[in-house]
Amino acid sequence: MRKQNVLANQSLVKNGSFRQILTDWTVYPRGSPWVQVVRQDYNGLPVNTLSVGYAASVSQEIVAPMDPGVDAVYVLKFLCESRHTGTGFVRINSEGMPPLEIPIPPGRQSDEEQPLAFEPVPYEVALDSTFRAGATLTFSVTSAPSEPDGYHLLLYLTDITIELHLQPLVLQAFSLDEESHPPTAPVPLCLGAEDLGIHQLKFYVAD
């Protein structure tokens, strides 16, 4: 049977849209003023975006709920825009897994008189399957270094998710009142029957 209490296609990252500002995130250096949450417009709607500059970084640890494999694929997704002259990095590290490093190339430069609109690039990467259930995955984003007065040289991220994509369940059999039936068999129903707890219907899925 499949493991219970594993939610498919829901993010394992907490507060990946930064609605609770930096709750659940670790900032390095601690208390760095180069890490902020900034409200911007995206597709006509206000969104909270993480801004990171001056070689600062932000990270979060995620525990893998089940073994990855053909039937369980972990997928990292996020929106990111660089307004920096250097290359930043998004990384995922875990013991026993080759480090995943995604370079964020230099992007547009902002004009103080005419601020840029948020125009992120969507990223989507399937994680390597060499880690195991219970492993700690560390997500981090690091800005490229800059001069101390380079306040406009920043990375912006939002909608950070790590989703667990599971294959659809395959029905193996079902039982009605303890009598087993193949998955293609019709389910007999009593028309007009009341819910008196008389009948028991159970479904069994393939491993």
Side-chain angles (χ1 to χ4, degrees):
M1 294 280 297
R2 284 253 177 104
K3 292 185 178 180
Q4 303 298 312
N5 301 322
V6 175
L7 299 177
N9 302 326
Q10 296 193 25
S11 180
L12 301 174
V13 177
K14 296 178 181 178
N15 190 28
S17 295
F18 304 98
R19 294 186 178 93
Q20 287 79 47
I21 312 302
L22 291 171
T23 300
D24 297 309
W25 293 94
T26 300
V27 175
Y28 182 83
R30 184 176 180 178
S32 172
W34 291 90
V35 176
Q36 302 288 335
V37 172
V38 181
R39 178 66 63 94
Q40 301 191 73
D41 287 333
Y42 177 55
N43 288 338
L45 297 173
V47 296
N48 282 1
T49 61
L50 172 72
S51 68
V52 188
Y54 198 54
S57 68
V58 180
S59 65
Q60 184 178 139
E61 293 185 345
I62 300 106
V63 177
M66 64 184 299
D67 290 345
V70 176
D71 295 330
V73 179
Y74 290 79
V75 179
L76 167 66
K77 300 179 183 179
F78 59 94
L79 298 176
C80 182
E81 180 182 5
S82 173
R83 299 178 193 168
H84 205 296
T85 55
T87 299
F89 290 94
V90 167
R91 298 181 175 95
I92 289 188
N93 294 282
S94 180
E95 185 176 354
M97 183 186 83
L100 171 65
E101 186 172 86
I102 304 172
I104 308 298
R108 305 176 301 160
Q109 302 303 297
S110 63
D111 185 331
E112 293 183 0
E113 295 182 359
Q114 293 182 333
L116 296 175
F118 184 50
E119 297 180 358
V121 175
Y123 288 79
E124 180 173 337
V125 181
L127 304 189
D128 191 278
S129 60
T130 55
F131 59 92
R132 293 291 176 260
T136 299
L137 308 175
T138 302
F139 171 93
S140 65
V141 54
T142 305
S143 166
S146 61
E147 296 298 325
D149 60 350
Y151 301 111
H152 61 293
L153 302 177
L154 300 167
L155 295 180
Y156 293 91
L157 292 90
T158 194
D159 289 350
I160 303 169
T161 66
I162 296 178
E163 297 175 351
L164 178 56
H165 292 185
L166 302 178
Q167 292 297 318
L169 293 175
V170 177
L171 182 63
Q172 188 176 47
F174 71 90
S175 67
L176 180 62
D177 297 335
E178 305 301 330
E179 182 179 346
S180 182
H181 299 272
T184 55
V187 180
L189 299 175
C190 300
L191 294 177
E194 297 181 1
D195 183 12
L196 301 177
I198 299 174
H199 299 291
Q200 290 188 344
L201 178 63
K202 298 179 181 179
F203 297 96
Y204 302 91
V205 297
D207 291 336

